[in-house]
Amino acid sequence: MRHYPPGRSILTALPADILVRILDRLPDPSDRKAWRLVCREFLRVDYLQRRSLRLLRHGSLPAILRRYGSLERLDLSACPRIDDSAIRAAFYGIRLHALRSVNLSRRSALRCFGLGFMVNACPALETVDLSYCSGVGDREMAALARAPLLRELNVTKCLGVTDVGLARVAVGCSELERLDLKWCLEISDIGIDLLVKKCRALKDLDISYLKVTNASLQSISSLEKLEVLSMVACSLIDDTGLSYLENGNNCLRSINFSRCDSVSSVGFSSIIKAHSHLKKIYVGHCFPEVAPLFLRKLKDLENSLESIRLDGFHLSSSVLRTIGIHCTNLLEIGLGKCDGITDEGISELSSSCPRLRTVDLTCCRLITDSSLIAIANSCKKLQCLRLESCPGITEKGLGRIGDSCSHLAEIDLTDCGIDDEALKCLSKCCNLIELKLGLCPRITNEGLVYIGSNCKDLQVLDLYRCTGVGDDGLAAIGGGCRKLRKINICYCTQITDRGLEHLCGLDLLTDLEMREVVRVTGAGVTAVAVGCRSLVELDMKKCRSVDDVGFLALARHSENLRQINISSCPISDAGLYMLMGSLSSLQVAKLEHLPGVSVGGYELALRAAWERLQKLKLPTWLSPLLSREVLQMLQARGCWVRWVPKPPPLD
């Protein structure tokens, strides 16, 4: 009989393929982490099995890429200090034949040399995300053009990309299927025309906010495989452009023409006529009223349409009745900020569309509990309900939602004026994941006790300006909602250090907003820093009772913190230097009004963190006083600095 040394599991005798199958049955990240810590053999199996990886620090990247030979998806969007030298060090001397997807979103220091090095090392690269990379321009697009298998590319708000760069990618990556050009303002009709001629396999194209004209739609209309087209706020496109899509060769399934204010309801109707298999239609804030022709054409989509957004329209009850009759398979409807929405219209709509999963009634101020009762009676599988600024909602309607909609996962009750009794009714929805209660001052600790007791899966909680909430309410949330990831307690002035101490056991908490919680001191912030080690974003603007003790605790314990707002906080020169220098993951810092910090303090802090920073908010008075060297270093790293007009501190 074989004996195993003490501390070694008998599982290590199993073949690697069996261990991989066991590991496949551990979807939870914490379980997989525990697996890797068992022994070297289990760690080796993780190397063999892992297909996806998201890094928070770049120092280990070279070793990781050499160990995880089967890696297919790599996410570096949260990793600071990703520049050409870091990419070269990581990809030097290796060939990653399995790697197909790389996310470099917001890595503004990356340039063409690093991208070229990555492309050469990854011959099977199919997906690249460079969204919000302010340093990406035509030269970087030329580097990507050497990836002939590229299928998906996102360059949202890469302001340096012009028609020249787009042409390079179009010629080199002719197999492109998905391309996001949103906010690339230098791209014109010329670039779109060449793209269409070279990339005939395009299925998903986003040209939102571009200054393109009808000529671009004429080109796009020839793409036979195009299924998804987004062109939000393309104000130069009118009904003539839409007529090209009507007569084109596309097989559109989803269109988003929101805020295209030069198109009419009649012009849009022509697209529906030509594309009878549309599943999604987004036309919010386009034209004030829906024409009868548009409503009649919806009947052609009776069997296909699943989602429609008509935000900002004037919609009568008869219009909603017609939509309900013609679109019985709807899963989502958006009616945010629509005039004329009444209980009668919502009753007509919901009774005809029982499959609805998402209903957005934001700022529909005329609806009352009758609308909620109608939705509860008909839409039993409702998952998302947005009711921001609907003051006619009370516990009566929410009680029916709680009784009937057991699948409800997300609800927005911001500025609805509800009270604790309403939360008691809503707490019956035990599958709630996201709950927004901002600007509801009648909510107290008692209401949060109901939520903490029953909504165990809650991940997002917004208590913005819920001034009736205090420490006991946070105790109920901290004790009951252990999966909480985001919480907003801004301007909840009753909360003290004791309340924050109740949050320190939330291991998954990543986002804490606590502006002007004036009774919190350094002790409360210390408790959060020590207990919430997963914290990524922290907003403590105007927390005027927090001293250097709290900031030093953040510097020591919050190693994952990427974004911080400490404006109007009494931090000193030394505290700011320690904070900025120690937060190894910090990328966004808002420091526009720090009365206790001198020019020299700002200078030292920025020098300590300049390699990591992607975005800064600083007071205008500081601009001429900072050394030119510091500003040049920040600019070279692609850091975007927003200068805010604030008065200089008094001596």
Side-chain angles (χ1 to χ4, degrees):
M1 181 177 182
R2 185 174 180 180
H3 297 280
Y4 293 89
R8 185 181 178 188
S9 171
I10 192 174
L11 290 175
T12 58
L14 295 175
D17 60 325
I18 300 297
L19 292 177
V20 167
R21 293 174 65 182
I22 295 174
L23 185 56
D24 283 337
R25 296 177 178 270
L26 300 177
D28 189 271
S30 58
D31 292 338
R32 297 179 72 90
K33 182 177 180 180
W35 167 282
R36 293 194 296 270
L37 296 175
V38 170
C39 62
R40 290 183 178 180
E41 181 64 18
F42 279 27
L43 181 61
R44 189 181 72 84
V45 169
D46 183 66
Y47 293 158
L48 295 173
Q49 189 268 356
R50 183 178 287 270
R51 299 291 183 268
S52 179
L53 191 64
R54 184 171 188 262
L55 256 64
L56 301 180
R57 289 168 186 80
H58 79 288
S60 58
L61 183 57
I64 285 175
L65 292 182
R66 284 157 176 78
R67 290 172 181 169
Y68 291 95
S70 301
L71 202 62
E72 296 177 357
R73 297 173 297 279
L74 179 63
D75 186 350
L76 301 175
S77 62
C79 192
R81 300 183 182 179
I82 292 296
D83 55 14
D84 287 350
S85 60
I87 292 295
R88 184 183 187 281
F91 289 91
Y92 180 77
I94 59 174
R95 298 281 284 179
L96 301 174
H97 295 280
L99 192 61
R100 286 172 170 77
S101 174
V102 179
N103 187 345
L104 295 163
S105 177
R106 300 184 188 276
R107 301 306 92 202
S108 298
L110 195 59
R111 298 292 186 270
C112 58
F113 179 77
L115 284 174
F117 217 94
M118 179 191 74
V119 168
N120 290 335
C122 306
L125 199 60
E126 296 179 354
T127 303
V128 176
D129 187 346
L130 293 172
S131 56
Y132 303 97
C133 290
S134 58
V136 168
D138 292 341
R139 295 178 64 187
E140 287 69 32
M141 296 287 275
L144 284 177
R146 297 200 295 269
L149 300 182
L150 200 64
R151 299 287 191 277
E152 301 180 23
L153 176 61
N154 188 343
V155 287
T156 296
K157 218 166 188 179
C158 293
L159 302 181
V161 175
T162 71
D163 291 335
V164 175
L166 182 58
R168 290 291 192 92
V169 167
V171 172
C173 310
S174 59
E175 300 301 317
L176 268 180
E177 296 178 358
R178 290 176 173 82
L179 179 61
D180 194 334
L181 300 171
K182 190 162 52 256
W183 283 111
C184 294
L185 301 180
E186 297 300 319
I187 290 178
S188 69
D189 294 332
I190 296 174
I192 298 298
D193 184 57
L194 182 59
L195 172 72
V196 169
K197 289 178 179 177
K198 296 296 182 180
C199 301
R200 304 300 299 171
L202 274 173
K203 296 179 180 179
D204 187 334
L205 178 62
D206 192 337
I207 57 172
S208 298
Y209 304 97
L210 269 60
K211 298 176 183 178
V212 294
T213 68
N214 296 331
S216 285
L217 284 194
Q218 185 175 16
S219 301
I220 291 171
S221 65
S222 67
L223 290 172
E224 298 179 354
K225 297 183 180 181
L226 190 67
E227 298 179 356
V228 180
L229 176 61
S230 298
M231 38 180 282
V232 177
C234 291
S235 57
L236 300 180
I237 290 175
D238 56 25
D239 288 355
T240 302
L242 299 188
S243 67
Y244 292 128
L245 294 180
E246 176 189 4
N247 300 312
N249 300 321
N250 314 128
C251 51
L252 292 173
R253 298 289 186 270
S254 172
I255 50 178
N256 186 351
F257 291 171
S258 302
R259 301 188 183 278
C260 290
D261 48 20
S262 296
V263 304
S264 71
S265 181
V266 175
F268 195 78
S269 301
S270 65
I271 295 182
I272 297 178
K273 176 183 177 181
H275 300 280
S276 58
H277 298 290
L278 279 170
K279 291 186 176 182
K280 294 182 179 180
I281 295 176
Y282 295 168
V283 288
H285 304 283
C286 280
F287 26 88
E289 293 189 354
V290 177
L293 177 61
F294 177 87
L295 294 176
R296 289 197 300 270
K297 291 301 179 183
L298 285 180
K299 183 172 177 58
D300 297 338
L301 306 178
E302 182 176 5
N303 297 321
S304 64
L305 192 63
E306 297 179 351
S307 177
I308 185 169
R309 295 202 65 91
L310 302 169
D311 305 293
F313 283 70
H314 178 82
L315 300 176
S316 63
S317 298
S318 60
V319 170
L320 291 182
R321 182 187 308 116
T322 304
I323 292 174
I325 292 173
H326 292 336
C327 309
T328 56
N329 290 320
L330 275 183
L331 301 178
E332 176 188 10
I333 188 163
L335 304 172
K337 299 183 180 181
C338 286
D339 294 330
I341 301 293
T342 63
D343 292 336
E344 179 185 356
I346 296 301
S347 178
E348 296 275 6
L349 176 71
S350 57
S351 62
S352 301
C353 303
R355 299 180 62 201
L356 276 171
R357 305 287 196 276
T358 298
V359 178
D360 188 348
L361 299 173
T362 299
C363 294
C364 295
R365 297 180 179 275
L366 299 180
I367 67 168
T368 68
D369 290 329
S370 298
S371 290
L372 297 194
I373 292 172
I375 292 173
N377 288 340
S378 301
C379 308
K380 303 295 184 180
K381 295 183 179 180
L382 189 69
Q383 296 176 0
C384 177
L385 182 59
R386 300 189 178 102
L387 299 168
E388 179 181 351
S389 298
C390 296
I393 301 301
T394 71
E395 64 274 8
K396 179 181 177 182
L398 291 174
R400 292 296 294 272
I401 292 291
D403 289 334
S404 303
C405 302
S406 59
H407 298 284
L408 191 68
E410 177 184 343
I411 187 166
D412 188 347
L413 296 168
T414 302
D415 195 24
C416 287
I418 62 170
D419 56 14
D420 293 338
E421 194 62 29
L423 288 190
K424 180 179 180 181
C425 299
L426 193 61
S427 66
K428 299 174 185 177
C429 299
C430 56
N431 293 316
L432 267 183
I433 293 176
E434 183 170 329
L435 175 60
K436 295 185 177 181
L437 303 170
L439 297 169
C440 293
R442 296 167 61 196
I443 292 175
T444 69
N445 296 330
E446 182 181 350
L448 293 188
V449 169
Y450 296 128
I451 298 298
S453 299
N454 297 318
C455 303
K456 303 296 185 181
D457 293 329
L458 195 67
Q459 296 182 19
V460 179
L461 177 61
D462 187 349
L463 299 171
Y464 176 81
R465 290 191 185 275
C466 291
T467 52
V469 170
D471 296 338
D472 292 339
L474 288 192
I477 296 299
C481 306
R482 307 295 294 179
K483 297 180 181 180
L484 200 67
R485 294 178 181 273
K486 298 183 179 181
I487 185 169
N488 185 340
I489 54 173
C490 292
Y491 306 100
C492 296
T493 52
Q494 292 190 38
I495 293 175
T496 69
D497 291 339
R498 188 169 67 87
L500 289 193
E501 289 171 359
H502 291 303
L503 299 180
C504 67
L506 299 175
D507 298 333
L508 301 178
L509 190 68
T510 61
D511 192 331
L512 173 59
E513 297 183 62
M514 46 180 283
R515 290 190 180 194
E516 207 167 334
V517 185
V518 293
R519 300 176 66 185
V520 167
T521 70
V525 174
T526 299
V528 169
V530 173
C532 304
R533 305 300 286 270
S534 299
L535 201 62
V536 172
E537 297 186 18
L538 176 62
D539 187 342
M540 46 191 297
K541 182 177 182 178
K542 297 184 179 180
C543 289
R544 296 188 174 94
S545 299
V546 178
D547 55 15
D548 280 356
V549 172
F551 293 114
L552 293 176
L554 289 172
R556 181 176 181 182
H557 300 288
S558 299
E559 58 184 13
N560 294 316
L561 200 61
R562 294 202 300 270
Q563 179 170 322
I564 191 167
N565 186 350
I566 56 172
S567 301
S568 301
C569 289
I571 192 172
S572 68
D573 286 352
L576 184 62
Y577 175 75
M578 286 294 296
L579 185 70
M580 299 290 285
S582 300
L583 295 176
S584 58
S585 298
L586 186 66
Q587 299 174 38
V588 180
K590 299 179 181 180
L591 317 168
E592 67 257 40
H593 184 55
L594 302 177
V597 178
S598 65
V599 175
Y602 273 109
E603 179 96 14
L604 288 174
L606 294 178
R607 286 180 179 274
W610 70 274
E611 284 189 306
R612 304 184 301 275
L613 291 174
Q614 301 292 325
K615 188 182 294 187
L616 265 176
K617 189 181 285 189
L618 297 171
T620 305
W621 64 264
L622 187 63
S623 177
L625 302 178
L626 284 174
S627 70
R628 189 174 181 180
E629 181 188 2
V630 166
L631 296 177
Q632 288 177 341
M633 287 192 303
L634 292 171
Q635 184 179 9
R637 296 291 300 181
C639 180
W640 181 71
V641 181
R642 179 183 175 188
W643 299 99
V644 182
K646 292 287 183 180
L650 299 176
D651 293 333

